[in-house]
Structures are given as C-alpha cells and as structure tokens.
PDB file of all heavy atoms in Angstrom:
ATOM      1  N   ASP A  27      38.081 -49.654  31.822  1.00 92.00           N
ATOM      2  CA  ASP A  27      37.087 -50.491  31.168  1.00 92.00           C
ATOM      3  C   ASP A  27      37.745 -51.288  30.046  1.00 92.00           C
ATOM      4  O   ASP A  27      38.890 -51.041  29.666  1.00 92.00           O
ATOM      5  CB  ASP A  27      35.915 -49.659  30.663  1.00 92.00           C
ATOM      6  CG  ASP A  27      36.311 -48.577  29.685  1.00 92.00           C
ATOM      7  OD1 ASP A  27      37.334 -48.751  29.004  1.00 92.00           O
ATOM      8  OD2 ASP A  27      35.602 -47.546  29.599  1.00 92.00           O
ATOM      9  N   LEU A  28      36.973 -52.224  29.499  1.00 94.00           N
ATOM     10  CA  LEU A  28      37.500 -53.142  28.488  1.00 94.00           C
ATOM     11  C   LEU A  28      38.044 -52.398  27.276  1.00 94.00           C
ATOM     12  O   LEU A  28      39.109 -52.732  26.744  1.00 94.00           O
ATOM     13  CB  LEU A  28      36.431 -54.124  28.077  1.00 94.00           C
ATOM     14  CG  LEU A  28      36.844 -55.226  27.116  1.00 94.00           C
ATOM     15  CD1 LEU A  28      37.935 -56.122  27.696  1.00 94.00           C
ATOM     16  CD2 LEU A  28      35.643 -56.096  26.722  1.00 94.00           C
ATOM     17  N   GLU A  29      37.310 -51.391  26.812  1.00 94.00           N
ATOM     18  CA  GLU A  29      37.704 -50.632  25.617  1.00 94.00           C
ATOM     19  C   GLU A  29      39.068 -49.988  25.821  1.00 94.00           C
ATOM     20  O   GLU A  29      39.938 -50.060  24.939  1.00 94.00           O
ATOM     21  CB  GLU A  29      36.656 -49.562  25.337  1.00 94.00           C
ATOM     22  CG  GLU A  29      36.935 -48.768  24.076  1.00 94.00           C
ATOM     23  CD  GLU A  29      35.862 -47.736  23.771  1.00 94.00           C
ATOM     24  OE1 GLU A  29      34.829 -47.739  24.476  1.00 94.00           O
ATOM     25  OE2 GLU A  29      36.054 -46.933  22.852  1.00 94.00           O
ATOM     26  N   HIS A  30      39.315 -49.392  26.986  1.00 95.00           N
ATOM     27  CA  HIS A  30      40.619 -48.745  27.244  1.00 95.00           C
ATOM     28  C   HIS A  30      41.735 -49.777  27.381  1.00 95.00           C
ATOM     29  O   HIS A  30      42.868 -49.552  26.932  1.00 95.00           O
ATOM     30  CB  HIS A  30      40.527 -47.887  28.481  1.00 95.00           C
ATOM     31  CG  HIS A  30      39.802 -46.590  28.302  1.00 95.00           C
ATOM     32  ND1 HIS A  30      38.451 -46.454  28.472  1.00 95.00           N
ATOM     33  CD2 HIS A  30      40.256 -45.372  27.905  1.00 95.00           C
ATOM     34  CE1 HIS A  30      38.083 -45.228  28.228  1.00 95.00           C
ATOM     35  NE2 HIS A  30      39.165 -44.544  27.868  1.00 95.00           N
ATOM     36  N   VAL A  31      41.424 -50.910  28.004  1.00 96.00           N
ATOM     37  CA  VAL A  31      42.433 -51.961  28.160  1.00 96.00           C
ATOM     38  C   VAL A  31      42.897 -52.491  26.801  1.00 96.00           C
ATOM     39  O   VAL A  31      44.077 -52.650  26.540  1.00 96.00           O
ATOM     40  CB  VAL A  31      41.882 -53.115  29.022  1.00 96.00           C
ATOM     41  CG1 VAL A  31      42.850 -54.314  28.991  1.00 96.00           C
ATOM     42  CG2 VAL A  31      41.682 -52.686  30.465  1.00 96.00           C
ATOM     43  N   ILE A  32      41.902 -52.743  25.908  1.00 95.00           N
ATOM     44  CA  ILE A  32      42.239 -53.213  24.560  1.00 95.00           C
ATOM     45  C   ILE A  32      43.126 -52.233  23.815  1.00 95.00           C
ATOM     46  O   ILE A  32      44.156 -52.610  23.232  1.00 95.00           O
ATOM     47  CB  ILE A  32      40.952 -53.488  23.749  1.00 95.00           C
ATOM     48  CG1 ILE A  32      40.155 -54.636  24.376  1.00 95.00           C
ATOM     49  CG2 ILE A  32      41.273 -53.783  22.299  1.00 95.00           C
ATOM     50  CD1 ILE A  32      38.772 -54.820  23.779  1.00 95.00           C
ATOM     51  N   ALA A  33      42.750 -50.972  23.861  1.00 95.00           N
ATOM     52  CA  ALA A  33      43.511 -49.922  23.194  1.00 95.00           C
ATOM     53  C   ALA A  33      44.930 -49.829  23.738  1.00 95.00           C
ATOM     54  O   ALA A  33      45.919 -49.745  22.966  1.00 95.00           O
ATOM     55  CB  ALA A  33      42.809 -48.568  23.343  1.00 95.00           C
ATOM     56  N   ASP A  34      45.072 -49.877  25.050  1.00 96.00           N
ATOM     57  CA  ASP A  34      46.399 -49.810  25.661  1.00 96.00           C
ATOM     58  C   ASP A  34      47.271 -50.995  25.267  1.00 96.00           C
ATOM     59  O   ASP A  34      48.466 -50.854  24.991  1.00 96.00           O
ATOM     60  CB  ASP A  34      46.270 -49.778  27.190  1.00 96.00           C
ATOM     61  CG  ASP A  34      45.753 -48.443  27.706  1.00 96.00           C
ATOM     62  OD1 ASP A  34      45.751 -47.468  26.931  1.00 96.00           O
ATOM     63  OD2 ASP A  34      45.334 -48.384  28.889  1.00 96.00           O
ATOM     64  N   LEU A  35      46.692 -52.178  25.184  1.00 96.00           N
ATOM     65  CA  LEU A  35      47.450 -53.378  24.820  1.00 96.00           C
ATOM     66  C   LEU A  35      47.852 -53.380  23.351  1.00 96.00           C
ATOM     67  O   LEU A  35      48.982 -53.747  23.026  1.00 96.00           O
ATOM     68  CB  LEU A  35      46.627 -54.628  25.140  1.00 96.00           C
ATOM     69  CG  LEU A  35      46.410 -54.934  26.634  1.00 96.00           C
ATOM     70  CD1 LEU A  35      45.476 -56.101  26.827  1.00 96.00           C
ATOM     71  CD2 LEU A  35      47.743 -55.231  27.329  1.00 96.00           C
ATOM     72  N   VAL A  36      46.940 -52.955  22.510  1.00 95.00           N
ATOM     73  CA  VAL A  36      47.240 -52.897  21.056  1.00 95.00           C
ATOM     74  C   VAL A  36      48.379 -51.940  20.773  1.00 95.00           C
ATOM     75  O   VAL A  36      49.244 -52.220  19.911  1.00 95.00           O
ATOM     76  CB  VAL A  36      45.978 -52.502  20.244  1.00 95.00           C
ATOM     77  CG1 VAL A  36      46.355 -52.146  18.805  1.00 95.00           C
ATOM     78  CG2 VAL A  36      44.956 -53.626  20.269  1.00 95.00           C
ATOM     79  N   TRP A  37      48.406 -50.822  21.487  1.00 95.00           N
ATOM     80  CA  TRP A  37      49.450 -49.810  21.248  1.00 95.00           C
ATOM     81  C   TRP A  37      50.614 -49.922  22.224  1.00 95.00           C
ATOM     82  O   TRP A  37      51.369 -48.967  22.409  1.00 95.00           O
ATOM     83  CB  TRP A  37      48.840 -48.410  21.273  1.00 95.00           C
ATOM     84  CG  TRP A  37      47.877 -48.231  20.150  1.00 95.00           C
ATOM     85  CD1 TRP A  37      46.525 -48.241  20.199  1.00 95.00           C
ATOM     86  CD2 TRP A  37      48.201 -48.040  18.772  1.00 95.00           C
ATOM     87  NE1 TRP A  37      45.978 -48.090  18.947  1.00 95.00           N
ATOM     88  CE2 TRP A  37      46.977 -47.943  18.042  1.00 95.00           C
ATOM     89  CE3 TRP A  37      49.412 -47.946  18.042  1.00 95.00           C
ATOM     90  CZ2 TRP A  37      46.946 -47.787  16.651  1.00 95.00           C
ATOM     91  CZ3 TRP A  37      49.362 -47.765  16.676  1.00 95.00           C
ATOM     92  CH2 TRP A  37      48.141 -47.694  15.998  1.00 95.00           C
ATOM     93  N   SER A  38      50.744 -51.076  22.858  1.00 95.00           N
ATOM     94  CA  SER A  38      51.882 -51.301  23.766  1.00 95.00           C
ATOM     95  C   SER A  38      53.057 -51.871  22.986  1.00 95.00           C
ATOM     96  O   SER A  38      53.046 -51.934  21.765  1.00 95.00           O
ATOM     97  CB  SER A  38      51.448 -52.260  24.881  1.00 95.00           C
ATOM     98  OG  SER A  38      51.251 -53.559  24.342  1.00 95.00           O
ATOM     99  N   ASP A  39      54.065 -52.332  23.730  1.00 95.00           N
ATOM    100  CA  ASP A  39      55.222 -52.948  23.075  1.00 95.00           C
ATOM    101  C   ASP A  39      55.285 -54.447  23.382  1.00 95.00           C
ATOM    102  O   ASP A  39      56.353 -55.068  23.318  1.00 95.00           O
ATOM    103  CB  ASP A  39      56.529 -52.279  23.498  1.00 95.00           C
ATOM    104  CG  ASP A  39      56.755 -52.286  25.022  1.00 95.00           C
ATOM    105  OD1 ASP A  39      55.823 -52.781  25.721  1.00 95.00           O
ATOM    106  OD2 ASP A  39      57.786 -51.829  25.475  1.00 95.00           O
ATOM    107  N   LEU A  40      54.135 -55.037  23.723  1.00 94.00           N
ATOM    108  CA  LEU A  40      54.093 -56.466  24.020  1.00 94.00           C
ATOM    109  C   LEU A  40      54.429 -57.326  22.794  1.00 94.00           C
ATOM    110  O   LEU A  40      54.117 -56.940  21.667  1.00 94.00           O
ATOM    111  CB  LEU A  40      52.715 -56.853  24.524  1.00 94.00           C
ATOM    112  CG  LEU A  40      52.278 -56.278  25.887  1.00 94.00           C
ATOM    113  CD1 LEU A  40      50.824 -56.604  26.156  1.00 94.00           C
ATOM    114  CD2 LEU A  40      53.163 -56.829  27.001  1.00 94.00           C
ATOM    115  N   THR A  41      55.021 -58.475  23.023  1.00 95.00           N
ATOM    116  CA  THR A  41      55.371 -59.370  21.935  1.00 95.00           C
ATOM    117  C   THR A  41      54.595 -60.685  22.145  1.00 95.00           C
ATOM    118  O   THR A  41      53.909 -60.897  23.139  1.00 95.00           O
ATOM    119  CB  THR A  41      56.878 -59.681  21.934  1.00 95.00           C
ATOM    120  OG1 THR A  41      57.223 -60.392  23.137  1.00 95.00           O
ATOM    121  CG2 THR A  41      57.697 -58.364  21.881  1.00 95.00           C
ATOM    122  N   LEU A  42      54.740 -61.609  21.179  1.00 95.00           N
ATOM    123  CA  LEU A  42      54.058 -62.903  21.262  1.00 95.00           C
ATOM    124  C   LEU A  42      54.911 -63.946  21.954  1.00 95.00           C
ATOM    125  O   LEU A  42      55.122 -65.052  21.464  1.00 95.00           O
ATOM    126  CB  LEU A  42      53.682 -63.361  19.856  1.00 95.00           C
ATOM    127  CG  LEU A  42      52.686 -62.519  19.082  1.00 95.00           C
ATOM    128  CD1 LEU A  42      52.296 -63.179  17.773  1.00 95.00           C
ATOM    129  CD2 LEU A  42      51.423 -62.253  19.938  1.00 95.00           C
ATOM    130  N   CYS A  43      55.406 -63.591  23.138  1.00 95.00           N
ATOM    131  CA  CYS A  43      56.070 -64.580  23.972  1.00 95.00           C
ATOM    132  C   CYS A  43      55.125 -64.894  25.139  1.00 95.00           C
ATOM    133  O   CYS A  43      54.228 -64.106  25.439  1.00 95.00           O
ATOM    134  CB  CYS A  43      57.403 -64.034  24.500  1.00 95.00           C
ATOM    135  SG  CYS A  43      57.272 -62.669  25.689  1.00 95.00           S
ATOM    136  N   GLU A  44      55.314 -66.024  25.752  1.00 96.00           N
ATOM    137  CA  GLU A  44      54.372 -66.470  26.781  1.00 96.00           C
ATOM    138  C   GLU A  44      54.301 -65.458  27.943  1.00 96.00           C
ATOM    139  O   GLU A  44      53.206 -65.220  28.489  1.00 96.00           O
ATOM    140  CB  GLU A  44      54.786 -67.838  27.317  1.00 96.00           C
ATOM    141  CG  GLU A  44      54.581 -68.954  26.314  1.00 96.00           C
ATOM    142  CD  GLU A  44      54.808 -70.339  26.913  1.00 96.00           C
ATOM    143  OE1 GLU A  44      54.985 -70.432  28.159  1.00 96.00           O
ATOM    144  OE2 GLU A  44      54.804 -71.324  26.143  1.00 96.00           O
ATOM    145  N   LYS A  45      55.412 -64.869  28.325  1.00 97.00           N
ATOM    146  CA  LYS A  45      55.424 -63.914  29.410  1.00 97.00           C
ATOM    147  C   LYS A  45      54.558 -62.685  29.097  1.00 97.00           C
ATOM    148  O   LYS A  45      53.720 -62.255  29.917  1.00 97.00           O
ATOM    149  CB  LYS A  45      56.862 -63.467  29.706  1.00 97.00           C
ATOM    150  CG  LYS A  45      56.968 -62.457  30.852  1.00 97.00           C
ATOM    151  CD  LYS A  45      58.418 -62.079  31.100  1.00 97.00           C
ATOM    152  CE  LYS A  45      58.518 -61.028  32.204  1.00 97.00           C
ATOM    153  NZ  LYS A  45      59.937 -60.593  32.430  1.00 97.00           N
ATOM    154  N   ASP A  46      54.716 -62.138  27.911  1.00 97.00           N
ATOM    155  CA  ASP A  46      53.954 -60.946  27.507  1.00 97.00           C
ATOM    156  C   ASP A  46      52.480 -61.276  27.292  1.00 97.00           C
ATOM    157  O   ASP A  46      51.588 -60.474  27.622  1.00 97.00           O
ATOM    158  CB  ASP A  46      54.529 -60.314  26.229  1.00 97.00           C
ATOM    159  CG  ASP A  46      55.797 -59.499  26.509  1.00 97.00           C
ATOM    160  OD1 ASP A  46      56.188 -59.459  27.692  1.00 97.00           O
ATOM    161  OD2 ASP A  46      56.349 -58.927  25.566  1.00 97.00           O
ATOM    162  N   ILE A  47      52.205 -62.436  26.724  1.00 97.00           N
ATOM    163  CA  ILE A  47      50.811 -62.842  26.511  1.00 97.00           C
ATOM    164  C   ILE A  47      50.088 -63.010  27.847  1.00 97.00           C
ATOM    165  O   ILE A  47      48.947 -62.617  28.014  1.00 97.00           O
ATOM    166  CB  ILE A  47      50.743 -64.170  25.709  1.00 97.00           C
ATOM    167  CG1 ILE A  47      51.221 -63.938  24.287  1.00 97.00           C
ATOM    168  CG2 ILE A  47      49.313 -64.711  25.675  1.00 97.00           C
ATOM    169  CD1 ILE A  47      51.352 -65.219  23.468  1.00 97.00           C
ATOM    170  N   THR A  48      50.822 -63.530  28.841  1.00 97.00           N
ATOM    171  CA  THR A  48      50.252 -63.673  30.191  1.00 97.00           C
ATOM    172  C   THR A  48      49.918 -62.335  30.800  1.00 97.00           C
ATOM    173  O   THR A  48      48.856 -62.131  31.408  1.00 97.00           O
ATOM    174  CB  THR A  48      51.226 -64.431  31.117  1.00 97.00           C
ATOM    175  OG1 THR A  48      51.515 -65.713  30.557  1.00 97.00           O
ATOM    176  CG2 THR A  48      50.647 -64.594  32.513  1.00 97.00           C
ATOM    177  N   VAL A  49      50.814 -61.343  30.574  1.00 97.00           N
ATOM    178  CA  VAL A  49      50.569 -59.973  31.102  1.00 97.00           C
ATOM    179  C   VAL A  49      49.323 -59.405  30.416  1.00 97.00           C
ATOM    180  O   VAL A  49      48.441 -58.822  31.091  1.00 97.00           O
ATOM    181  CB  VAL A  49      51.785 -59.071  30.805  1.00 97.00           C
ATOM    182  CG1 VAL A  49      51.457 -57.612  31.049  1.00 97.00           C
ATOM    183  CG2 VAL A  49      52.966 -59.506  31.654  1.00 97.00           C
ATOM    184  N   ALA A  50      49.239 -59.531  29.091  1.00 97.00           N
ATOM    185  CA  ALA A  50      48.088 -59.018  28.351  1.00 97.00           C
ATOM    186  C   ALA A  50      46.802 -59.704  28.799  1.00 97.00           C
ATOM    187  O   ALA A  50      45.774 -59.052  29.000  1.00 97.00           O
ATOM    188  CB  ALA A  50      48.304 -59.228  26.855  1.00 97.00           C
ATOM    189  N   TYR A  51      46.879 -61.018  28.968  1.00 98.00           N
ATOM    190  CA  TYR A  51      45.696 -61.775  29.379  1.00 98.00           C
ATOM    191  C   TYR A  51      45.160 -61.338  30.738  1.00 98.00           C
ATOM    192  O   TYR A  51      43.949 -61.166  30.919  1.00 98.00           O
ATOM    193  CB  TYR A  51      46.000 -63.267  29.387  1.00 98.00           C
ATOM    194  CG  TYR A  51      44.808 -64.118  29.777  1.00 98.00           C
ATOM    195  CD1 TYR A  51      43.758 -64.341  28.886  1.00 98.00           C
ATOM    196  CD2 TYR A  51      44.706 -64.683  31.066  1.00 98.00           C
ATOM    197  CE1 TYR A  51      42.661 -65.113  29.237  1.00 98.00           C
ATOM    198  CE2 TYR A  51      43.617 -65.449  31.410  1.00 98.00           C
ATOM    199  CZ  TYR A  51      42.577 -65.646  30.493  1.00 98.00           C
ATOM    200  OH  TYR A  51      41.499 -66.389  30.879  1.00 98.00           O
ATOM    201  N   LYS A  52      46.062 -61.159  31.685  1.00 97.00           N
ATOM    202  CA  LYS A  52      45.643 -60.774  33.037  1.00 97.00           C
ATOM    203  C   LYS A  52      44.916 -59.442  33.018  1.00 97.00           C
ATOM    204  O   LYS A  52      43.911 -59.253  33.713  1.00 97.00           O
ATOM    205  CB  LYS A  52      46.869 -60.710  33.956  1.00 97.00           C
ATOM    206  CG  LYS A  52      47.400 -62.069  34.370  1.00 97.00           C
ATOM    207  CD  LYS A  52      48.590 -61.950  35.292  1.00 97.00           C
ATOM    208  CE  LYS A  52      49.077 -63.317  35.731  1.00 97.00           C
ATOM    209  NZ  LYS A  52      50.266 -63.221  36.625  1.00 97.00           N
ATOM    210  N   LYS A  53      45.415 -58.502  32.240  1.00 97.00           N
ATOM    211  CA  LYS A  53      44.778 -57.190  32.163  1.00 97.00           C
ATOM    212  C   LYS A  53      43.431 -57.279  31.456  1.00 97.00           C
ATOM    213  O   LYS A  53      42.447 -56.676  31.888  1.00 97.00           O
ATOM    214  CB  LYS A  53      45.683 -56.190  31.414  1.00 97.00           C
ATOM    215  CG  LYS A  53      46.947 -55.835  32.158  1.00 97.00           C
ATOM    216  CD  LYS A  53      47.797 -54.856  31.375  1.00 97.00           C
ATOM    217  CE  LYS A  53      49.046 -54.437  32.163  1.00 97.00           C
ATOM    218  NZ  LYS A  53      49.900 -53.494  31.392  1.00 97.00           N
ATOM    219  N   LEU A  54      43.417 -58.035  30.360  1.00 97.00           N
ATOM    220  CA  LEU A  54      42.217 -58.163  29.563  1.00 97.00           C
ATOM    221  C   LEU A  54      41.105 -58.922  30.303  1.00 97.00           C
ATOM    222  O   LEU A  54      39.943 -58.480  30.341  1.00 97.00           O
ATOM    223  CB  LEU A  54      42.520 -58.865  28.250  1.00 97.00           C
ATOM    224  CG  LEU A  54      41.463 -58.796  27.136  1.00 97.00           C
ATOM    225  CD1 LEU A  54      41.260 -57.366  26.665  1.00 97.00           C
ATOM    226  CD2 LEU A  54      41.872 -59.683  25.964  1.00 97.00           C
ATOM    227  N   VAL A  55      41.468 -60.026  30.902  1.00 97.00           N
ATOM    228  CA  VAL A  55      40.471 -60.886  31.565  1.00 97.00           C
ATOM    229  C   VAL A  55      39.892 -60.186  32.784  1.00 97.00           C
ATOM    230  O   VAL A  55      38.709 -60.358  33.128  1.00 97.00           O
ATOM    231  CB  VAL A  55      41.060 -62.262  31.935  1.00 97.00           C
ATOM    232  CG1 VAL A  55      41.949 -62.165  33.172  1.00 97.00           C
ATOM    233  CG2 VAL A  55      39.958 -63.280  32.148  1.00 97.00           C
ATOM    234  N   LYS A  56      40.680 -59.385  33.448  1.00 97.00           N
ATOM    235  CA  LYS A  56      40.192 -58.632  34.633  1.00 97.00           C
ATOM    236  C   LYS A  56      39.090 -57.666  34.219  1.00 97.00           C
ATOM    237  O   LYS A  56      38.015 -57.624  34.854  1.00 97.00           O
ATOM    238  CB  LYS A  56      41.337 -57.882  35.298  1.00 97.00           C
ATOM    239  CG  LYS A  56      40.964 -57.191  36.571  1.00 97.00           C
ATOM    240  CD  LYS A  56      42.168 -56.532  37.211  1.00 97.00           C
ATOM    241  CE  LYS A  56      41.784 -55.824  38.524  1.00 97.00           C
ATOM    242  NZ  LYS A  56      42.973 -55.168  39.153  1.00 97.00           N
ATOM    243  N   ALA A  57      39.329 -56.899  33.144  1.00 97.00           N
ATOM    244  CA  ALA A  57      38.318 -55.939  32.673  1.00 97.00           C
ATOM    245  C   ALA A  57      37.106 -56.669  32.081  1.00 97.00           C
ATOM    246  O   ALA A  57      35.968 -56.262  32.321  1.00 97.00           O
ATOM    247  CB  ALA A  57      38.949 -55.025  31.632  1.00 97.00           C
ATOM    248  N   PHE A  58      37.352 -57.724  31.346  1.00 97.00           N
ATOM    249  CA  PHE A  58      36.256 -58.496  30.716  1.00 97.00           C
ATOM    250  C   PHE A  58      35.345 -59.105  31.758  1.00 97.00           C
ATOM    251  O   PHE A  58      34.103 -58.988  31.666  1.00 97.00           O
ATOM    252  CB  PHE A  58      36.833 -59.577  29.819  1.00 97.00           C
ATOM    253  CG  PHE A  58      35.804 -60.387  29.092  1.00 97.00           C
ATOM    254  CD1 PHE A  58      35.389 -59.999  27.834  1.00 97.00           C
ATOM    255  CD2 PHE A  58      35.250 -61.526  29.657  1.00 97.00           C
ATOM    256  CE1 PHE A  58      34.416 -60.747  27.146  1.00 97.00           C
ATOM    257  CE2 PHE A  58      34.286 -62.260  28.981  1.00 97.00           C
ATOM    258  CZ  PHE A  58      33.873 -61.863  27.730  1.00 97.00           C
ATOM    259  N   CYS A  59      35.913 -59.776  32.726  1.00 96.00           N
ATOM    260  CA  CYS A  59      35.119 -60.460  33.737  1.00 96.00           C
ATOM    261  C   CYS A  59      34.379 -59.483  34.649  1.00 96.00           C
ATOM    262  O   CYS A  59      33.259 -59.769  35.089  1.00 96.00           O
ATOM    263  CB  CYS A  59      36.010 -61.380  34.562  1.00 96.00           C
ATOM    264  SG  CYS A  59      36.679 -62.788  33.626  1.00 96.00           S
ATOM    265  N   ARG A  60      34.974 -58.338  34.901  1.00 96.00           N
ATOM    266  CA  ARG A  60      34.299 -57.299  35.691  1.00 96.00           C
ATOM    267  C   ARG A  60      33.097 -56.774  34.926  1.00 96.00           C
ATOM    268  O   ARG A  60      32.030 -56.540  35.500  1.00 96.00           O
ATOM    269  CB  ARG A  60      35.259 -56.178  36.022  1.00 96.00           C
ATOM    270  CG  ARG A  60      34.665 -55.076  36.914  1.00 96.00           C
ATOM    271  CD  ARG A  60      35.692 -54.091  37.396  1.00 96.00           C
ATOM    272  NE  ARG A  60      36.376 -53.421  36.323  1.00 96.00           N
ATOM    273  CZ  ARG A  60      37.678 -53.519  36.068  1.00 96.00           C
ATOM    274  NH1 ARG A  60      38.454 -54.280  36.795  1.00 96.00           N
ATOM    275  NH2 ARG A  60      38.225 -52.876  35.044  1.00 96.00           N
ATOM    276  N   GLN A  61      33.272 -56.576  33.615  1.00 96.00           N
ATOM    277  CA  GLN A  61      32.198 -55.989  32.789  1.00 96.00           C
ATOM    278  C   GLN A  61      31.070 -56.971  32.551  1.00 96.00           C
ATOM    279  O   GLN A  61      29.900 -56.577  32.552  1.00 96.00           O
ATOM    280  CB  GLN A  61      32.764 -55.513  31.465  1.00 96.00           C
ATOM    281  CG  GLN A  61      31.748 -54.830  30.544  1.00 96.00           C
ATOM    282  CD  GLN A  61      32.434 -54.084  29.424  1.00 96.00           C
ATOM    283  OE1 GLN A  61      33.476 -53.464  29.599  1.00 96.00           O
ATOM    284  NE2 GLN A  61      31.816 -54.098  28.231  1.00 96.00           N
ATOM    285  N   TYR A  62      31.379 -58.252  32.314  1.00 96.00           N
ATOM    286  CA  TYR A  62      30.344 -59.206  31.964  1.00 96.00           C
ATOM    287  C   TYR A  62      29.993 -60.208  33.046  1.00 96.00           C
ATOM    288  O   TYR A  62      29.194 -61.105  32.822  1.00 96.00           O
ATOM    289  CB  TYR A  62      30.793 -59.961  30.694  1.00 96.00           C
ATOM    290  CG  TYR A  62      30.872 -59.070  29.500  1.00 96.00           C
ATOM    291  CD1 TYR A  62      32.094 -58.663  28.992  1.00 96.00           C
ATOM    292  CD2 TYR A  62      29.720 -58.589  28.886  1.00 96.00           C
ATOM    293  CE1 TYR A  62      32.176 -57.827  27.874  1.00 96.00           C
ATOM    294  CE2 TYR A  62      29.778 -57.737  27.785  1.00 96.00           C
ATOM    295  CZ  TYR A  62      31.012 -57.352  27.300  1.00 96.00           C
ATOM    296  OH  TYR A  62      31.112 -56.528  26.190  1.00 96.00           O
ATOM    297  N   LYS A  63      30.556 -60.025  34.228  1.00 96.00           N
ATOM    298  CA  LYS A  63      30.213 -60.835  35.406  1.00 96.00           C
ATOM    299  C   LYS A  63      30.393 -62.331  35.140  1.00 96.00           C
ATOM    300  O   LYS A  63      29.503 -63.147  35.378  1.00 96.00           O
ATOM    301  CB  LYS A  63      28.734 -60.559  35.812  1.00 96.00           C
ATOM    302  CG  LYS A  63      28.425 -59.110  36.033  1.00 96.00           C
ATOM    303  CD  LYS A  63      29.145 -58.555  37.255  1.00 96.00           C
ATOM    304  CE  LYS A  63      28.714 -57.148  37.608  1.00 96.00           C
ATOM    305  NZ  LYS A  63      29.019 -56.119  36.608  1.00 96.00           N
ATOM    306  N   VAL A  64      31.552 -62.692  34.637  1.00 97.00           N
ATOM    307  CA  VAL A  64      31.859 -64.100  34.411  1.00 97.00           C
ATOM    308  C   VAL A  64      33.151 -64.475  35.185  1.00 97.00           C
ATOM    309  O   VAL A  64      33.958 -63.593  35.527  1.00 97.00           O
ATOM    310  CB  VAL A  64      32.065 -64.421  32.920  1.00 97.00           C
ATOM    311  CG1 VAL A  64      30.792 -64.197  32.136  1.00 97.00           C
ATOM    312  CG2 VAL A  64      33.205 -63.591  32.314  1.00 97.00           C
ATOM    313  N   LYS A  65      33.319 -65.730  35.416  1.00 96.00           N
ATOM    314  CA  LYS A  65      34.486 -66.254  36.102  1.00 96.00           C
ATOM    315  C   LYS A  65      35.680 -66.291  35.146  1.00 96.00           C
ATOM    316  O   LYS A  65      35.511 -66.647  33.961  1.00 96.00           O
ATOM    317  CB  LYS A  65      34.197 -67.661  36.634  1.00 96.00           C
ATOM    318  CG  LYS A  65      35.372 -68.326  37.335  1.00 96.00           C
ATOM    319  CD  LYS A  65      34.980 -69.745  37.734  1.00 96.00           C
ATOM    320  CE  LYS A  65      36.165 -70.501  38.331  1.00 96.00           C
ATOM    321  NZ  LYS A  65      35.812 -71.904  38.608  1.00 96.00           N
ATOM    322  N   ALA A  66      36.854 -65.947  35.622  1.00 97.00           N
ATOM    323  CA  ALA A  66      38.049 -65.883  34.788  1.00 97.00           C
ATOM    324  C   ALA A  66      38.594 -67.297  34.524  1.00 97.00           C
ATOM    325  O   ALA A  66      38.891 -68.020  35.442  1.00 97.00           O
ATOM    326  CB  ALA A  66      39.137 -65.047  35.433  1.00 97.00           C
ATOM    327  N   PRO A  67      38.705 -67.681  33.219  1.00 97.00           N
ATOM    328  CA  PRO A  67      39.318 -68.973  32.907  1.00 97.00           C
ATOM    329  C   PRO A  67      40.833 -68.950  33.115  1.00 97.00           C
ATOM    330  O   PRO A  67      41.456 -67.894  33.022  1.00 97.00           O
ATOM    331  CB  PRO A  67      38.996 -69.174  31.409  1.00 97.00           C
ATOM    332  CG  PRO A  67      38.032 -68.076  31.067  1.00 97.00           C
ATOM    333  CD  PRO A  67      38.257 -66.973  32.024  1.00 97.00           C
TER     334      PRO A  67
END
C-alpha cells in the first residue's frame, strides 16, 4: 500500500538523480493510482 511504499522509499538509499527518481516514481505512482483509482501521469 501507499503508506508502506513511502516508508520504504524514505528509508532507502535513493539519491536525487534522474535514474533513482524514476525508480521512486514508478513505485509510488503504482501504489497511489491503485489506491485512488486515477490514471498514472
């Protein structure tokens, strides 16, 4: 769920590079869109 995804990403070793942001976004948007029934931007 979204709450667990957020926690995992905050306590991960991701950095602010485009590659890592893309990884974080894919995980976050998947949980968000599943929970709120919206299309992924």
Side-chain angles (χ1 to χ4, degrees):
D27 59 27
L28 184 61
E29 184 178 352
H30 284 90
V31 171
I32 293 171
D34 287 344
L35 290 173
V36 167
W37 295 104
S38 69
D39 57 356
L40 293 173
T41 65
L42 296 185
C43 68
E44 290 188 8
K45 181 180 178 182
D46 281 2
I47 292 173
T48 301
V49 169
Y51 180 75
K52 286 181 178 179
K53 292 180 178 179
L54 193 65
V55 77
K56 185 177 180 180
F58 182 91
C59 293
R60 183 171 59 243
Q61 183 165 322
Y62 294 106
K63 306 293 187 295
V64 296
K65 178 184 174 184

